[in-house]
Amino acid sequence: MKKFELIKLPYEADALEPVISKETIGFHHGKHLQAYVNNLNAAIEGTAFEEMPLEEIVKSSEGGVFNNAGQILNHNHYFLQFRAPKADNRPTGEIAVMIDMQFGSFEAFKEAFVKKGATLFGSGWVWLSVDKDGKLVITQEANANNPVLHGLKPLLTFDVWEHAYYLDYQNRRPDHLSALWQIVDWDFVNGCL
Ligand code: MN
């Protein structure tokens, strides 16, 4: 029987400091994501979902199976897209060209993305994706939703569930979102195109 496993982080737990603390990584990856993995494995035991890839489960399930599978898909992308902070961390390669063409500048894109994240009511995610015509789109996804549900290809995401930032930023969600640009791994984002 197949079991989903907690992804291994491609960096040390303190590597993203001071943007995201070691303590937050410990809870977010080690407790929250681990719980989603454990819950999904328990929920799909003995069902047809056991043999499905994660994305297919997300597209074809509902209720508890969907919530846990969606959160694993979301968090796997989230944790893999970061690297240690860099002072002037800007997009590179193809994604840099696409952002400039569509949003005018990286600064204008960041403002639009952070605004979508800051104004998402409750728990969820803000995503940058590319649509079937190659156009970039920013979407707000509530709770465990993921852009693949609307036929989009996901590129970058900021988690706006309070567990992602409350230890480090308390209620200051916009400050947290603005700080995350320092740790985005644009090579990873380009690899998603
Ligand atoms: Mn989270």
Side-chain angles (χ1 to χ4, degrees):
M1 187 191 82
K2 193 178 83 179
K3 287 272 188 191
F4 287 99
E5 287 180 9
L6 181 68
I7 54 154
K8 192 171 160 24
L9 297 176
Y11 40 78
E12 297 299 319
D14 62 357
L16 307 182
E17 291 189 343
V19 177
I20 301 177
S21 69
K22 180 181 179 180
E23 190 181 21
T24 289
I25 291 291
F27 278 102
H28 199 181
H29 174 262
K31 304 289 184 192
H32 288 280
L33 181 52
Q34 180 71 67
Y36 295 130
V37 170
N38 295 346
N39 291 342
L40 181 66
N41 284 331
I44 64 175
E45 196 171 344
T47 74
F49 292 122
E50 269 185 323
E51 303 306 322
M52 274 187 208
L54 188 58
E55 194 172 313
E56 291 311 308
I57 298 178
V58 170
K59 287 176 176 172
S60 60
S61 63
E62 53 188 17
V65 171
F66 170 79
N67 287 336
N68 288 289
Q71 284 294 73
I72 297 168
L73 190 63
N74 292 333
H75 284 95
N76 286 357
H77 192 111
Y78 175 81
F79 284 115
L80 293 177
Q81 69 183 359
F82 292 138
R83 64 183 171 200
K86 280 181 21 179
D88 188 25
N89 188 33
R90 302 179 68 84
T92 54
E94 192 177 355
I95 191 66
V97 174
M98 292 170 77
I99 286 173
D100 282 346
M101 274 183 61
Q102 269 194 247
F103 295 92
S105 67
F106 179 45
E107 283 64 36
F109 162 70
K110 284 195 293 187
E111 190 179 333
F113 194 85
V114 166
K115 188 176 178 188
K116 285 273 191 184
T119 57
L120 192 159
F121 187 77
S123 295
W125 303 77
V126 56
W127 282 90
L128 176 68
S129 303
V130 64
D131 71 12
K132 287 187 168 62
D133 301 321
K135 187 169 179 283
L136 294 175
V137 284
I138 301 172
T139 60
Q140 293 177 326
E141 305 291 344
N143 301 315
N145 286 353
N146 183 288
V148 296
L149 295 165
H150 329 298
L152 298 170
K153 188 194 288 183
L155 304 176
L156 171 75
T157 189
F158 289 177
D159 185 347
V160 299
W161 283 61
E162 285 187 344
H163 68 223
Y165 60 87
Y166 216 83
L167 291 175
D168 301 331
Y169 298 82
Q170 295 79 49
N171 61 321
R172 292 174 287 115
R173 186 197 285 184
D175 291 352
H176 169 67
L177 298 179
S178 297
L180 288 175
W181 300 113
Q182 297 171 56
I183 58 171
V184 172
D185 181 349
W186 291 105
D187 293 335
F188 178 85
V189 176
N190 274 310
C192 295
L193 278 168

